[in-house]
Amino acid sequence: MSFATVAAISVLTASCAAVDPESVSDSAGMTIGTGVPVPAAGETAAVGTQVRDAADDPEIWADPRDPSRGVIFGTDKQAGLYVYGLDGKDRRFLPEGPLNNVDLRDGFTVTGREQVLVGASDRKRMGIAFFLLDPDSLNVTPWGVVPVQVSEPYGFCMGRLGGDTIAVMVGKDGDIAQFTVTAQDGKPNLILTRTFSVGSQSEGCVIDDATGTLFIAEEAKGIWRYNLDHKSGSARTLLAGAPSEILKPDVEGLTLLREGAKTYLLASSQGDSAFAVWRVDGPQADYAGRFSVVGGAGADPVTGTDGLAALGGPVGAFPEGLIVVQDDADTDGEAASTVRTRQNFKLVDWRAVKAAMAIN
């Protein structure tokens, strides 16, 4: 280690000692990650909560009738839910309290009208906070909170199985509750279908509607694959273990990106600010590699990454797909930082990922 490196670490340590520990990024000690570099294509405005761990999980919706129209959701786990345009600009903030993870499914009928159902894990009201997105006006309204029995609402994902809309709540201790979501008298209703335990602290989850698969990230141990059918109980297979050269704990957000007949699973490797990618539409998961988001388009690199979302096909200005990832330490310009003054979400062009990783 060079004298300059030692001096830099000493300065960083001294500066961190004088500030709130919450202002020290999860990515302290690293700048950008160790995957192949992919430049950011844009970013959202920072969430309103400053100098604390706040921005957590994004989700994307693009109008299938006109994919230039759509929104990005982003949670501030200290304060509520942000609604951004597909360009990352603020549209609205819903001060609904500490919401952790967010997901959605469109085509959900409420009082005879199809809307986009949005759900988020609510850590204060100990349940799922539901919202309705009007696909015509893009207006988002709170729909109601339904309590759930888990250790602490943490991870959350939604899916479809047959004609049912499914919600999965991941408790912080790794306890899982799965529900069927219905509209009852114009209000959200949950029907519990199964519970099981992952084993230890877990958060990220995502559902592949096409194959009926539930993926869950156990933060210190890796990614598990479950059958979404509640009759399968707790049977599972390990897709990728951690710690490893692919996943450096904590293993955080999970998302799926569909491109024609191909489906890719992306996972946040928070321990080294990178994203691992597998193709998962076949009987076995095929590992494709890892990437990290470096500075670009005026946005700084992504460090200490947490939640992420992806949507394939045309999405706003991204003709083949958009990825949105949480950045633990947002700064002005394209230089990295390990001081958490504010947090936001970075936008990544799927074409750039494919080119960097030689994905055909």
Side-chain angles (χ1 to χ4, degrees):
M1 182 180 293
S2 69
F3 175 81
T5 302
V6 173
I9 293 173
S10 298
V11 170
L12 176 61
T13 303
S15 63
C16 289
V19 298
D20 184 337
E22 277 276 357
S23 72
V24 181
S25 169
D26 288 340
S27 56
M30 65 181 72
T31 51
I32 62 172
T34 57
V36 296
V38 174
E43 62 184 337
T44 69
V47 300
T49 302
Q50 302 287 296
V51 199
R52 298 186 68 80
D53 189 14
D56 195 88
D57 191 49
E59 190 50 82
I60 310 164
W61 182 80
D63 190 340
R65 303 166 299 182
D66 177 6
S68 67
R69 301 178 66 252
V71 296
I72 298 168
F73 292 97
T75 59
D76 178 335
K77 62 186 175 186
Q78 309 286 346
L81 183 67
Y82 281 88
V83 185
Y84 305 101
L86 294 178
D87 57 1
K89 294 181 180 178
D90 279 332
R91 288 180 57 92
R92 187 180 179 191
F93 174 65
L94 296 153
E96 293 293 308
L99 305 181
N100 207 61
N101 281 191
V102 61
D103 203 358
L104 59 83
R105 282 297 182 274
D106 56 12
F108 187 83
T109 302
V110 180
T111 59
R113 188 166 184 272
E114 284 196 356
Q115 303 200 53
V116 181
L117 178 64
V118 182
S121 46
D122 190 321
R123 299 170 76 173
K124 181 177 181 180
R125 292 174 289 188
M126 295 296 291
I128 303 172
F130 286 107
F131 305 83
L132 296 175
L133 166 65
D134 185 324
D136 295 326
S137 67
L138 301 185
N139 188 44
V140 181
T141 56
W143 191 35
V145 179
V146 183
V148 299
Q149 297 296 317
V150 294
S151 53
E152 178 184 347
Y154 209 48
F156 177 76
C157 54
M158 297 176 66
R160 284 265 166 69
L161 186 63
D164 293 333
T165 299
I166 306 299
V168 174
M169 177 69 81
V170 180
K172 190 172 184 178
D173 292 344
D175 48 319
I176 309 298
Q178 180 172 320
F179 306 90
T180 299
V181 187
T182 65
Q184 183 172 306
D185 299 324
K187 298 295 183 182
N189 179 62
L190 295 176
I191 302 168
L192 180 66
T193 56
R194 71 169 163 176
T195 61
F196 61 91
S197 176
V198 176
S200 64
Q201 184 166 318
S202 305
E203 182 177 4
C205 69
V206 68
I207 293 170
D208 186 345
D209 297 351
T211 61
T213 303
L214 167 64
F215 300 94
I216 298 178
E218 188 174 7
E219 293 189 355
K221 295 188 177 180
I223 302 170
W224 296 98
R225 187 200 301 242
Y226 297 83
N227 191 317
L228 187 58
D229 187 340
H230 66 271
K231 296 177 183 177
S232 65
S234 59
R236 64 184 183 178
T237 57
L238 184 65
L239 184 143
S244 69
E245 292 303 309
I246 297 174
L247 295 171
K248 304 290 186 182
D250 291 349
V251 184
E252 292 285 349
L254 300 177
T255 192
L256 293 168
L257 187 148
R258 293 182 178 83
E259 185 174 57
K262 302 174 183 178
T263 302
Y264 296 93
L265 174 70
L266 287 70
S268 292
S269 176
Q270 188 178 73
D272 60 353
S273 301
F275 303 91
V277 182
W278 294 263
R279 186 172 167 184
V280 293
D281 49 273
Q284 301 294 327
D286 294 326
Y287 176 62
R290 290 159 32 100
F291 70 94
S292 294
V293 180
V294 299
D300 59 296
V302 170
T303 52
T305 181
D306 201 324
L308 77 165
L311 185 61
V315 182
F318 304 91
E320 296 182 21
L322 170 65
I323 303 169
V324 180
V325 301
Q326 185 262 10
D327 182 15
D328 188 70
D330 176 47
T331 58
D332 293 329
E334 298 184 4
S337 173
T338 56
V339 178
R340 182 191 286 146
T341 55
R342 63 179 188 259
Q343 297 182 321
N344 73 345
F345 302 94
K346 299 297 193 283
L347 280 57
V348 181
D349 192 327
W350 173 235
R351 293 175 301 174
V353 174
K354 290 194 294 181
M357 296 179 60
I359 294 176
N360 298 318

